[in-house]
């Protein structure tokens, strides 16, 4: 099933021609940005140096840090007046990364989401419950408008109150759901506890964090649906970048909209198809915020085997990241953000450890932090107050609930070389 059959099945020559045309337009837009003008000058290239798709390797990479340095609007290539929406995602310290959309961007984005959902057989007959955050996170509004575009009956239930979510699924006869895979596991457990089966469900769209085949099997058995992997990142609009088709063997990435390279993260050189590396993407259809050779940090590969349903190489499931960004219940967290928060609280030291576990299928983050010798009175009541304060400060910055354990001064490990403060204990499934 196609949302836009012509574009989704373009023959290779026509696709390359379209990519080159769109790349040139993107290059022109990028020239509106100081950042790219400087980058081109430093690399000794001009817009006209890019004559073929292969010439793209002449352009230096753009990194998340560059976007952060441009905070807040340094990467907007159109006047702010034309930016009709802003989303943000975690940066490496206090400031988030800002992404902006023109009206046309929002239309293009919802079209991409509509393509994905149509690809897995969702239609205007479906009743869709969107169980992700509707705020600055791109997953909520992104899927909402894509689903409305198809004409589905959309329930913007957002997150929280799992029992109520389950009641709505049953009462409204929901057929398709969207959430993180970890929340889906939690949902299935609460449904079991409530002694209810979610009989109306047919399709589950899960993404925003990595998950495995065994989680897929468990979700399909427990929820009685077919589960699809959905990938995206805010810098490339949000969700809708790549999506599984009914084969469920790799994700189709929309090659007319995203030019994909896979590189060795250390050397920056291309790796062969079938070899894993970091995905670098040049979006070809973005207006407000054009990006060139954006380093996603995500590790995947271009798959050698094609697919019958759509042309172009698929990408494999994302297996990890090349940087230290953590994805916890779909929320991006950098260890440096945690440090930043702790350093602002005088009663705690700068020694901390972060543990990540998967408990009852949900990611849980525990922060162990040393109390500062000078500011601790020895009173237990003071400790409780301080612990609550650290939890609140972390929640305010990370938008994530954490468990905080205060420990005695000098009790945490010290590092001679590079500190390894994050221990990810989520089992490699
Ligand atoms: O997570 C967008 C999204 C929303 C995708 C809803 C899918 C569903 P960000 O918050 O900017 O955007 O986080 C992007 O999350 O670079 C990956 O590291 C990770 N990620 C997203 N989808 C997947 C996935 C949204 N299916 C970062 N598998 C990305 C593995 C994923 N990791």
């Amino acid at each position: 099933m196609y949302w836009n059959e012509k574009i989704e099945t373009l023959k290779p020559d026509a696709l390359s021609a379209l990519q080159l045309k769109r790349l040139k337009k993107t290059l022109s837009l990028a020239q509106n940005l100081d950042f790219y003008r400087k980058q081109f000058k430093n690399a000794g290239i001009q817009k006209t140096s890019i004559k073929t798709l292969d010439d793209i390797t002449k352009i230096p990479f753009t990194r998340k840090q560059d976007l952060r340095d441009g905070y807040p609007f340094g990467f907007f290539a159109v006047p702010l007046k034309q930016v009709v929406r802003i989303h943000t995602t975690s940066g490496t310290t206090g400031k988030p990364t800002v992404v902006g959309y023109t009206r046309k961007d929002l239309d293009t984005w919802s079209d991409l989401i509509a393509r994905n959902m149509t690809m897995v057989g969702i239609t205007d007959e479906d009743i869709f419950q969107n169980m992700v955050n509707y705020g600055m996170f791109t997953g909520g509004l992104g899927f909402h408008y894509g689903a409305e575009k198809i004409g589905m009956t959309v329930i913007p239930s957002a997150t929280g109150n799992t029992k109520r979510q389950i009641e709505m699924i049953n009462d409204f006869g929901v057929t398709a759901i969207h959430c993180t895979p970890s929340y889906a596991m939690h949902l299935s457990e609460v449904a079991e506890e409530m002694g209810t089966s979610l009989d109306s469900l047919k399709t589950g769209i899960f993404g925003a964090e990595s998950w495995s085949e065994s989680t897929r099997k468990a979700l399909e058995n427990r929820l009685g649906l077919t589960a699809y992997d959905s990938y995206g990142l805010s810098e490339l609009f949000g969700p809708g970048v790549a999506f599984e088709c009914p084969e469920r063997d790799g994700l189709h990435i929309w090659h007319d909209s995203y030019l994909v390279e896979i590189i060795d993260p250390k050397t920056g050189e291309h790796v062969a198809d079938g070899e894993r590396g970091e995905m670098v993407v040049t979006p070809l259809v973005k207006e407000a915020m054009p990006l060139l050779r954006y380093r996603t940090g995500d590790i995947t590969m271009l798959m050698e085997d094609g697919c019958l349903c759509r042309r172009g190489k698929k990408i494999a499931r994302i297996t990890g990241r090349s940087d230290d960004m953590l994805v916890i219940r779909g929320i991006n967290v950098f260890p440096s953000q945690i440090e930043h928060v702790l350093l602002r609280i005088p009663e705690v030291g700068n020694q901390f450890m972060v543990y990540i576990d998967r408990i009852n299928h949900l990611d849980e983050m525990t922060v162990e932090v040393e109390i500062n010798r000078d500011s601790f009175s020895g009173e237990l009541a003071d400790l409780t107050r301080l612990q609550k304060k650290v939890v609140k400060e972390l929640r305010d910055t990370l938008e994530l609930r954490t468990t905080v354990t205060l420990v005695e001064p000098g009790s945490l490990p010290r590092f001679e070389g590079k500190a390894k403060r994050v221990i990810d204990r989520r089992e490699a499934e």
Side-chain angles (χ1 to χ4, degrees):
M1 287 222 264
Y2 300 102
W3 176 254
N4 184 340
E5 183 165 357
K6 192 166 162 237
I7 286 278
E8 290 176 49
T9 58
L10 273 184
K11 295 213 171 80
D13 284 352
L15 178 63
S16 307
L18 181 64
Q19 285 176 321
L20 187 60
K21 187 175 144 210
R22 289 180 168 176
L23 175 63
K24 287 188 172 161
K25 196 167 168 211
T26 303
L27 286 169
S28 295
L29 268 173
Q31 292 305 310
N32 293 349
L33 301 175
D34 287 345
F35 175 81
Y36 284 119
R37 279 200 303 272
K38 264 190 220 141
Q39 267 212 332
F40 273 54
K41 196 163 167 232
N42 293 343
I45 53 170
Q46 291 168 340
K47 198 174 76 174
T48 49
S49 313
I50 314 299
K51 294 190 176 67
T52 67
L53 290 172
D54 290 338
D55 287 337
I56 197 167
T57 54
K58 294 178 182 166
I59 304 173
F61 296 119
T62 307
R63 293 161 201 271
K64 198 172 177 81
Q65 180 64 33
D66 297 322
L67 299 192
R68 206 174 66 75
D69 292 343
Y71 182 86
F73 303 145
F75 273 80
F76 288 1
V78 299
L80 197 55
K81 194 172 175 322
Q82 288 172 32
V83 175
V84 297
R85 168 111 56 89
I86 282 171
H87 282 284
T88 61
T89 177
S90 297
T92 44
T93 61
K95 294 286 184 204
T97 304
V98 177
V99 293
Y101 306 75
T102 61
R103 198 169 292 286
K104 182 156 173 264
D105 283 333
L106 290 182
D107 196 46
T108 310
W109 183 23
S110 53
D111 228 64
L112 288 171
I113 304 264
R115 275 192 209 178
N116 294 325
M117 290 173 122
T118 306
M119 179 163 70
V120 299
I122 297 176
T123 68
D124 58 1
E125 304 275 339
D126 277 281
I127 305 174
F128 174 64
Q129 190 156 313
N130 197 18
M131 297 184 282
V132 292
N133 180 301
Y134 262 70
M136 302 312 283
F137 178 60
T138 50
L141 290 178
F143 265 94
H144 184 97
Y145 286 109
E148 275 193 352
K149 194 168 229 178
I150 293 180
M152 298 160 71
T153 306
V154 183
I155 303 161
S157 63
T159 52
N161 203 342
T162 306
K163 285 194 175 141
R164 182 81 196 101
Q165 301 268 13
I166 288 167
E167 278 165 19
M168 283 199 284
I169 292 175
N170 283 334
D171 295 350
F172 300 160
V174 169
T175 54
I177 54 171
H178 171 226
C179 58
T180 59
S182 43
Y183 187 70
M185 275 312 256
H186 180 65
L187 187 88
S188 73
E189 282 179 343
V190 177
E192 261 166 42
E193 277 164 27
M194 289 166 70
T196 176
S197 57
L198 302 165
D199 294 333
S200 57
L201 290 183
K202 284 191 309 201
T203 311
I205 298 168
F206 306 120
E209 61 184 2
S210 63
W211 52 306
S212 62
E213 267 317 298
S214 61
T215 304
R216 187 203 312 267
K217 287 204 184 79
L219 285 174
E220 294 192 336
N221 283 335
R222 299 173 77 122
L223 292 170
L225 45 64
T226 310
Y228 296 95
D229 190 7
S230 145
Y231 166 82
L233 60 158
S234 313
E235 298 90 317
L236 308 178
F237 284 147
V241 177
F243 213 87
E244 284 179 332
C245 68
E247 287 276 310
R248 293 181 300 144
D249 175 27
L251 290 83
H252 286 281
I253 184 151
W254 301 108
H255 291 284
D256 66 293
S257 307
Y258 299 106
L259 206 56
V260 181
E261 301 169 74
I262 309 285
I263 61 158
D264 175 332
K266 291 204 180 74
T267 63
E269 298 295 322
H270 283 178
V271 301
D273 291 356
E275 257 178 59
R276 287 195 181 270
E278 179 180 343
M279 184 159 67
V280 171
V281 179
T282 303
L284 299 173
V285 286
K286 286 184 82 202
E287 227 178 40
M289 206 173 139
L291 292 173
L292 304 176
R293 301 193 85 202
Y294 185 66
R295 293 199 49 166
T296 62
D298 290 317
I299 304 293
T300 180
M301 63 181 180
L302 278 170
M303 292 174 66
E304 287 157 313
D305 294 334
C307 186
L308 290 179
C309 80
R310 273 154 190 82
R311 291 173 198 273
K313 289 171 192 158
K314 290 188 285 190
I315 58 166
R317 254 170 199 283
I318 308 295
T319 47
R321 292 195 46 91
S322 64
D323 59 17
D324 60 351
M325 187 174 97
L326 302 161
V327 183
I328 298 180
R329 298 200 292 273
I331 297 170
N332 305 347
V333 177
F334 285 92
S336 52
Q337 284 179 296
I338 301 171
E339 183 168 19
H340 196 72
V341 171
L342 297 177
L343 286 174
R344 282 199 318 247
I345 307 172
E347 300 93 325
V348 296
N350 55 5
Q351 295 295 337
F352 66 96
M353 288 294 294
V354 179
Y355 298 95
I356 302 163
D357 295 286
R358 190 157 284 164
I359 300 170
N360 292 335
H361 312 290
L362 276 184
D363 296 336
E364 298 293 343
M365 189 164 94
T366 307
V367 179
E368 267 184 7
V369 58
E370 282 184 12
I371 309 161
N372 197 330
R373 213 177 290 265
D374 302 331
S375 52
F376 174 52
S377 70
E379 290 293 326
L380 222 55
D382 283 358
L383 270 186
T384 315
R385 205 173 308 134
L386 178 58
Q387 195 249 3
K388 282 194 177 139
K389 179 171 169 183
V390 180
V391 169
K392 182 181 179 304
E393 295 277 325
L394 284 170
R395 194 183 51 226
D396 287 352
T397 300
L398 309 178
E399 290 174 39
L400 190 73
R401 173 180 45 78
T402 56
T403 303
V404 169
T405 314
L406 299 175
V407 297
E408 281 178 30
S411 62
L412 289 181
R414 302 301 196 255
F415 300 93
E416 285 182 357
K418 224 170 143 48
K420 187 161 172 32
R421 299 194 187 283
V422 180
I423 313 276
D424 194 339
R425 297 188 288 212
R426 289 174 288 194
E427 77 279 19
E429 287 160 302

